[in-house]
PDB file of all heavy atoms in Angstrom:
ATOM      1  N   VAL A1442       0.842  -1.182   0.015  1.00 96.00           N
ATOM      2  CA  VAL A1442       0.008   0.020   0.029  1.00 96.00           C
ATOM      3  C   VAL A1442       0.870   1.237  -0.026  1.00 96.00           C
ATOM      4  O   VAL A1442       2.019   1.201   0.454  1.00 96.00           O
ATOM      5  CB  VAL A1442      -0.982   0.044   1.198  1.00 96.00           C
ATOM      6  CG1 VAL A1442      -1.943  -1.090   1.159  1.00 96.00           C
ATOM      7  CG2 VAL A1442      -0.201   0.085   2.525  1.00 96.00           C
ATOM      8  N   ASP A1443       0.308   2.339  -0.524  1.00 94.00           N
ATOM      9  CA  ASP A1443       1.047   3.613  -0.518  1.00 94.00           C
ATOM     10  C   ASP A1443       0.630   4.462   0.630  1.00 94.00           C
ATOM     11  O   ASP A1443      -0.117   4.007   1.526  1.00 94.00           O
ATOM     12  CB  ASP A1443       0.925   4.299  -1.881  1.00 94.00           C
ATOM     13  CG  ASP A1443      -0.474   4.753  -2.190  1.00 94.00           C
ATOM     14  OD1 ASP A1443      -1.360   4.774  -1.281  1.00 94.00           O
ATOM     15  OD2 ASP A1443      -0.745   5.149  -3.351  1.00 94.00           O
ATOM     16  N   ASP A1444       0.978   5.728   0.630  1.00 89.00           N
ATOM     17  CA  ASP A1444       0.620   6.657   1.766  1.00 89.00           C
ATOM     18  C   ASP A1444      -0.850   6.850   1.888  1.00 89.00           C
ATOM     19  O   ASP A1444      -1.337   7.170   2.974  1.00 89.00           O
ATOM     20  CB  ASP A1444       1.277   8.033   1.476  1.00 89.00           C
ATOM     21  CG  ASP A1444       2.590   8.151   2.138  1.00 89.00           C
ATOM     22  OD1 ASP A1444       3.015   7.251   2.886  1.00 89.00           O
ATOM     23  OD2 ASP A1444       3.276   9.169   1.914  1.00 89.00           O
ATOM     24  N   ASN A1445      -1.616   6.664   0.812  1.00 91.00           N
ATOM     25  CA  ASN A1445      -3.098   6.854   0.893  1.00 91.00           C
ATOM     26  C   ASN A1445      -3.826   5.546   1.092  1.00 91.00           C
ATOM     27  O   ASN A1445      -5.033   5.465   0.949  1.00 91.00           O
ATOM     28  CB  ASN A1445      -3.575   7.506  -0.440  1.00 91.00           C
ATOM     29  CG  ASN A1445      -2.951   8.855  -0.616  1.00 91.00           C
ATOM     30  OD1 ASN A1445      -2.895   9.685   0.274  1.00 91.00           O
ATOM     31  ND2 ASN A1445      -2.408   9.086  -1.826  1.00 91.00           N
ATOM     32  N   LEU A1446      -3.066   4.493   1.461  1.00 92.00           N
ATOM     33  CA  LEU A1446      -3.558   3.124   1.637  1.00 92.00           C
ATOM     34  C   LEU A1446      -4.160   2.518   0.342  1.00 92.00           C
ATOM     35  O   LEU A1446      -4.897   1.553   0.436  1.00 92.00           O
ATOM     36  CB  LEU A1446      -4.558   3.095   2.778  1.00 92.00           C
ATOM     37  CG  LEU A1446      -4.008   3.529   4.143  1.00 92.00           C
ATOM     38  CD1 LEU A1446      -5.108   3.449   5.173  1.00 92.00           C
ATOM     39  CD2 LEU A1446      -2.834   2.641   4.536  1.00 92.00           C
ATOM     40  N   ALA A1447      -3.792   3.082  -0.803  1.00 95.00           N
ATOM     41  CA  ALA A1447      -4.201   2.505  -2.080  1.00 95.00           C
ATOM     42  C   ALA A1447      -3.336   1.227  -2.267  1.00 95.00           C
ATOM     43  O   ALA A1447      -2.121   1.230  -2.093  1.00 95.00           O
ATOM     44  CB  ALA A1447      -3.966   3.458  -3.231  1.00 95.00           C
ATOM     45  N   VAL A1448      -4.001   0.146  -2.653  1.00 97.00           N
ATOM     46  CA  VAL A1448      -3.297  -1.124  -2.871  1.00 97.00           C
ATOM     47  C   VAL A1448      -2.527  -1.059  -4.176  1.00 97.00           C
ATOM     48  O   VAL A1448      -3.061  -0.615  -5.213  1.00 97.00           O
ATOM     49  CB  VAL A1448      -4.283  -2.289  -2.838  1.00 97.00           C
ATOM     50  CG1 VAL A1448      -3.548  -3.606  -3.036  1.00 97.00           C
ATOM     51  CG2 VAL A1448      -5.015  -2.332  -1.509  1.00 97.00           C
ATOM     52  N   LEU A1449      -1.261  -1.503  -4.180  1.00 97.00           N
ATOM     53  CA  LEU A1449      -0.368  -1.383  -5.310  1.00 97.00           C
ATOM     54  C   LEU A1449      -0.213  -2.697  -6.066  1.00 97.00           C
ATOM     55  O   LEU A1449      -0.310  -3.777  -5.477  1.00 97.00           O
ATOM     56  CB  LEU A1449       1.010  -0.940  -4.824  1.00 97.00           C
ATOM     57  CG  LEU A1449       1.101   0.372  -4.026  1.00 97.00           C
ATOM     58  CD1 LEU A1449       2.488   0.492  -3.427  1.00 97.00           C
ATOM     59  CD2 LEU A1449       0.764   1.513  -4.924  1.00 97.00           C
ATOM     60  N   GLY A1450       0.067  -2.616  -7.322  1.00 96.00           N
ATOM     61  CA  GLY A1450       0.415  -3.754  -8.124  1.00 96.00           C
ATOM     62  C   GLY A1450       1.851  -3.667  -8.644  1.00 96.00           C
ATOM     63  O   GLY A1450       2.344  -4.576  -9.263  1.00 96.00           O
ATOM     64  N   SER A1451       2.479  -2.557  -8.374  1.00 97.00           N
ATOM     65  CA  SER A1451       3.835  -2.291  -8.908  1.00 97.00           C
ATOM     66  C   SER A1451       4.860  -3.246  -8.276  1.00 97.00           C
ATOM     67  O   SER A1451       4.704  -3.728  -7.153  1.00 97.00           O
ATOM     68  CB  SER A1451       4.253  -0.830  -8.671  1.00 97.00           C
ATOM     69  OG  SER A1451       4.294  -0.580  -7.283  1.00 97.00           O
ATOM     70  N   THR A1452       5.895  -3.499  -9.049  1.00 97.00           N
ATOM     71  CA  THR A1452       6.989  -4.386  -8.630  1.00 97.00           C
ATOM     72  C   THR A1452       8.300  -3.768  -9.061  1.00 97.00           C
ATOM     73  O   THR A1452       8.394  -3.124 -10.119  1.00 97.00           O
ATOM     74  CB  THR A1452       6.877  -5.765  -9.341  1.00 97.00           C
ATOM     75  OG1 THR A1452       5.618  -6.346  -8.991  1.00 97.00           O
ATOM     76  CG2 THR A1452       8.008  -6.698  -8.961  1.00 97.00           C
ATOM     77  N   GLU A1453       9.343  -3.876  -8.206  1.00 97.00           N
ATOM     78  CA  GLU A1453      10.625  -3.405  -8.558  1.00 97.00           C
ATOM     79  C   GLU A1453      11.670  -4.360  -8.000  1.00 97.00           C
ATOM     80  O   GLU A1453      11.429  -5.103  -7.093  1.00 97.00           O
ATOM     81  CB  GLU A1453      10.887  -1.976  -8.118  1.00 97.00           C
ATOM     82  CG  GLU A1453      10.506  -1.638  -6.730  1.00 97.00           C
ATOM     83  CD  GLU A1453      10.444  -0.098  -6.508  1.00 97.00           C
ATOM     84  OE1 GLU A1453      11.394   0.618  -6.898  1.00 97.00           O
ATOM     85  OE2 GLU A1453       9.472   0.367  -5.902  1.00 97.00           O
ATOM     86  N   ALA A1454      12.838  -4.359  -8.654  1.00 96.00           N
ATOM     87  CA  ALA A1454      13.903  -5.261  -8.252  1.00 96.00           C
ATOM     88  C   ALA A1454      15.175  -4.441  -7.890  1.00 96.00           C
ATOM     89  O   ALA A1454      15.504  -3.435  -8.540  1.00 96.00           O
ATOM     90  CB  ALA A1454      14.272  -6.152  -9.430  1.00 96.00           C
ATOM     91  N   TYR A1455      15.819  -4.886  -6.799  1.00 97.00           N
ATOM     92  CA  TYR A1455      17.014  -4.238  -6.321  1.00 97.00           C
ATOM     93  C   TYR A1455      18.227  -5.075  -6.771  1.00 97.00           C
ATOM     94  O   TYR A1455      18.239  -6.275  -6.531  1.00 97.00           O
ATOM     95  CB  TYR A1455      17.003  -4.088  -4.808  1.00 97.00           C
ATOM     96  CG  TYR A1455      18.280  -3.505  -4.234  1.00 97.00           C
ATOM     97  CD1 TYR A1455      18.498  -2.124  -4.316  1.00 97.00           C
ATOM     98  CD2 TYR A1455      19.224  -4.320  -3.676  1.00 97.00           C
ATOM     99  CE1 TYR A1455      19.659  -1.606  -3.788  1.00 97.00           C
ATOM    100  CE2 TYR A1455      20.408  -3.766  -3.141  1.00 97.00           C
ATOM    101  CZ  TYR A1455      20.620  -2.433  -3.201  1.00 97.00           C
ATOM    102  OH  TYR A1455      21.772  -1.894  -2.717  1.00 97.00           O
ATOM    103  N   ASP A1456      19.179  -4.426  -7.367  1.00 96.00           N
ATOM    104  CA  ASP A1456      20.426  -5.093  -7.755  1.00 96.00           C
ATOM    105  C   ASP A1456      21.574  -4.605  -6.865  1.00 96.00           C
ATOM    106  O   ASP A1456      21.980  -3.448  -6.920  1.00 96.00           O
ATOM    107  CB  ASP A1456      20.744  -4.729  -9.211  1.00 96.00           C
ATOM    108  CG  ASP A1456      21.992  -5.447  -9.716  1.00 96.00           C
ATOM    109  OD1 ASP A1456      22.793  -6.017  -8.905  1.00 96.00           O
ATOM    110  OD2 ASP A1456      22.182  -5.457 -10.961  1.00 96.00           O
ATOM    111  N   PRO A1457      22.028  -5.472  -5.947  1.00 94.00           N
ATOM    112  CA  PRO A1457      23.070  -5.033  -5.005  1.00 94.00           C
ATOM    113  C   PRO A1457      24.382  -4.624  -5.660  1.00 94.00           C
ATOM    114  O   PRO A1457      25.069  -3.796  -5.108  1.00 94.00           O
ATOM    115  CB  PRO A1457      23.304  -6.306  -4.130  1.00 94.00           C
ATOM    116  CG  PRO A1457      22.157  -7.188  -4.361  1.00 94.00           C
ATOM    117  CD  PRO A1457      21.598  -6.827  -5.703  1.00 94.00           C
ATOM    118  N   SER A1458      24.694  -5.177  -6.816  1.00 94.00           N
ATOM    119  CA  SER A1458      25.974  -4.823  -7.465  1.00 94.00           C
ATOM    120  C   SER A1458      25.947  -3.368  -7.945  1.00 94.00           C
ATOM    121  O   SER A1458      27.014  -2.784  -8.024  1.00 94.00           O
ATOM    122  CB  SER A1458      26.259  -5.782  -8.611  1.00 94.00           C
ATOM    123  OG  SER A1458      25.295  -5.641  -9.667  1.00 94.00           O
ATOM    124  N   SER A1459      24.799  -2.832  -8.274  1.00 96.00           N
ATOM    125  CA  SER A1459      24.729  -1.434  -8.728  1.00 96.00           C
ATOM    126  C   SER A1459      24.046  -0.524  -7.727  1.00 96.00           C
ATOM    127  O   SER A1459      24.017   0.709  -7.941  1.00 96.00           O
ATOM    128  CB  SER A1459      24.024  -1.364 -10.056  1.00 96.00           C
ATOM    129  OG  SER A1459      22.683  -1.766  -9.934  1.00 96.00           O
ATOM    130  N   ASP A1460      23.518  -1.070  -6.618  1.00 95.00           N
ATOM    131  CA  ASP A1460      22.739  -0.294  -5.648  1.00 95.00           C
ATOM    132  C   ASP A1460      21.627   0.477  -6.379  1.00 95.00           C
ATOM    133  O   ASP A1460      21.485   1.647  -6.158  1.00 95.00           O
ATOM    134  CB  ASP A1460      23.613   0.627  -4.826  1.00 95.00           C
ATOM    135  CG  ASP A1460      22.885   1.309  -3.688  1.00 95.00           C
ATOM    136  OD1 ASP A1460      21.895   0.712  -3.130  1.00 95.00           O
ATOM    137  OD2 ASP A1460      23.181   2.491  -3.358  1.00 95.00           O
ATOM    138  N   MET A1461      20.867  -0.202  -7.231  1.00 97.00           N
ATOM    139  CA  MET A1461      19.808   0.445  -7.981  1.00 97.00           C
ATOM    140  C   MET A1461      18.526  -0.415  -7.937  1.00 97.00           C
ATOM    141  O   MET A1461      18.605  -1.646  -7.966  1.00 97.00           O
ATOM    142  CB  MET A1461      20.227   0.666  -9.444  1.00 97.00           C
ATOM    143  CG  MET A1461      21.321   1.653  -9.640  1.00 97.00           C
ATOM    144  SD  MET A1461      21.728   1.883 -11.388  1.00 97.00           S
ATOM    145  CE  MET A1461      20.194   2.528 -12.004  1.00 97.00           C
ATOM    146  N   TRP A1462      17.413   0.233  -7.941  1.00 97.00           N
ATOM    147  CA  TRP A1462      16.093  -0.357  -8.082  1.00 97.00           C
ATOM    148  C   TRP A1462      15.657  -0.157  -9.561  1.00 97.00           C
ATOM    149  O   TRP A1462      15.815   0.894 -10.114  1.00 97.00           O
ATOM    150  CB  TRP A1462      15.047   0.322  -7.172  1.00 97.00           C
ATOM    151  CG  TRP A1462      15.244  -0.019  -5.738  1.00 97.00           C
ATOM    152  CD1 TRP A1462      15.949   0.692  -4.812  1.00 97.00           C
ATOM    153  CD2 TRP A1462      14.683  -1.171  -5.056  1.00 97.00           C
ATOM    154  NE1 TRP A1462      15.906   0.062  -3.618  1.00 97.00           N
ATOM    155  CE2 TRP A1462      15.080  -1.051  -3.722  1.00 97.00           C
ATOM    156  CE3 TRP A1462      13.865  -2.231  -5.448  1.00 97.00           C
ATOM    157  CZ2 TRP A1462      14.739  -1.981  -2.747  1.00 97.00           C
ATOM    158  CZ3 TRP A1462      13.521  -3.146  -4.472  1.00 97.00           C
ATOM    159  CH2 TRP A1462      13.954  -3.037  -3.139  1.00 97.00           C
ATOM    160  N   THR A1463      15.025  -1.172 -10.120  1.00 97.00           N
ATOM    161  CA  THR A1463      14.468  -1.132 -11.494  1.00 97.00           C
ATOM    162  C   THR A1463      13.021  -1.507 -11.458  1.00 97.00           C
ATOM    163  O   THR A1463      12.652  -2.552 -10.827  1.00 97.00           O
ATOM    164  CB  THR A1463      15.244  -2.090 -12.398  1.00 97.00           C
ATOM    165  OG1 THR A1463      16.622  -1.771 -12.393  1.00 97.00           O
ATOM    166  CG2 THR A1463      14.669  -2.041 -13.806  1.00 97.00           C
ATOM    167  N   SER A1464      12.169  -0.669 -12.044  1.00 97.00           N
ATOM    168  CA  SER A1464      10.719  -1.002 -12.102  1.00 97.00           C
ATOM    169  C   SER A1464      10.510  -2.144 -13.081  1.00 97.00           C
ATOM    170  O   SER A1464      11.143  -2.191 -14.161  1.00 97.00           O
ATOM    171  CB  SER A1464       9.937   0.237 -12.589  1.00 97.00           C
ATOM    172  OG  SER A1464      10.007   1.253 -11.578  1.00 97.00           O
ATOM    173  N   LEU A1465       9.606  -3.018 -12.694  1.00 96.00           N
ATOM    174  CA  LEU A1465       9.255  -4.200 -13.532  1.00 96.00           C
ATOM    175  C   LEU A1465       7.783  -4.177 -13.824  1.00 96.00           C
ATOM    176  O   LEU A1465       7.045  -3.319 -13.359  1.00 96.00           O
ATOM    177  CB  LEU A1465       9.625  -5.504 -12.768  1.00 96.00           C
ATOM    178  CG  LEU A1465      11.100  -5.639 -12.339  1.00 96.00           C
ATOM    179  CD1 LEU A1465      11.256  -6.861 -11.462  1.00 96.00           C
ATOM    180  CD2 LEU A1465      12.010  -5.702 -13.542  1.00 96.00           C
ATOM    181  N   ALA A1466       7.298  -5.150 -14.571  1.00 95.00           N
ATOM    182  CA  ALA A1466       5.873  -5.280 -14.867  1.00 95.00           C
ATOM    183  C   ALA A1466       5.129  -5.425 -13.569  1.00 95.00           C
ATOM    184  O   ALA A1466       5.627  -6.105 -12.656  1.00 95.00           O
ATOM    185  CB  ALA A1466       5.639  -6.464 -15.775  1.00 95.00           C
ATOM    186  N   SER A1467       3.962  -4.831 -13.479  1.00 96.00           N
ATOM    187  CA  SER A1467       3.117  -4.976 -12.301  1.00 96.00           C
ATOM    188  C   SER A1467       2.547  -6.373 -12.207  1.00 96.00           C
ATOM    189  O   SER A1467       2.391  -7.080 -13.198  1.00 96.00           O
ATOM    190  CB  SER A1467       1.907  -3.959 -12.372  1.00 96.00           C
ATOM    191  OG  SER A1467       2.445  -2.636 -12.295  1.00 96.00           O
ATOM    192  N   ILE A1468       2.189  -6.778 -10.979  1.00 94.00           N
ATOM    193  CA  ILE A1468       1.498  -8.054 -10.788  1.00 94.00           C
ATOM    194  C   ILE A1468       0.071  -7.927 -11.385  1.00 94.00           C
ATOM    195  O   ILE A1468      -0.460  -6.793 -11.473  1.00 94.00           O
ATOM    196  CB  ILE A1468       1.519  -8.489  -9.350  1.00 94.00           C
ATOM    197  CG1 ILE A1468       0.926  -7.442  -8.434  1.00 94.00           C
ATOM    198  CG2 ILE A1468       2.931  -8.846  -8.915  1.00 94.00           C
ATOM    199  CD1 ILE A1468       0.814  -7.891  -6.944  1.00 94.00           C
ATOM    200  N   PRO A1469      -0.509  -9.023 -11.779  1.00 93.00           N
ATOM    201  CA  PRO A1469      -1.851  -8.983 -12.474  1.00 93.00           C
ATOM    202  C   PRO A1469      -2.961  -8.324 -11.611  1.00 93.00           C
ATOM    203  O   PRO A1469      -3.874  -7.672 -12.087  1.00 93.00           O
ATOM    204  CB  PRO A1469      -2.193 -10.405 -12.758  1.00 93.00           C
ATOM    205  CG  PRO A1469      -0.899 -11.113 -12.769  1.00 93.00           C
ATOM    206  CD  PRO A1469      -0.023 -10.377 -11.800  1.00 93.00           C
ATOM    207  N   SER A1470      -2.888  -8.544 -10.290  1.00 94.00           N
ATOM    208  CA  SER A1470      -3.932  -8.025  -9.387  1.00 94.00           C
ATOM    209  C   SER A1470      -3.253  -7.325  -8.243  1.00 94.00           C
ATOM    210  O   SER A1470      -2.519  -7.990  -7.464  1.00 94.00           O
ATOM    211  CB  SER A1470      -4.771  -9.223  -8.892  1.00 94.00           C
ATOM    212  OG  SER A1470      -5.711  -8.748  -7.927  1.00 94.00           O
TER     213      SER A1470
END
């Protein structure tokens, strides 16, 4: 959930070798 308690479908991946997050495809629901 976000600050407004809206339920999220977003997904992101953290790569420790670059210390970066990358947005990925959202989950279906």
Side-chain angles (χ1 to χ4, degrees):
V1442 296
D1443 66 12
D1444 268 355
N1445 299 314
L1446 300 178
V1448 180
L1449 303 170
S1451 62
T1452 299
E1453 49 194 312
Y1455 177 78
D1456 184 344
S1458 65
S1459 63
D1460 186 32
M1461 292 181 64
W1462 288 93
T1463 302
S1464 293
L1465 303 173
S1467 294
I1468 55 176
S1470 175

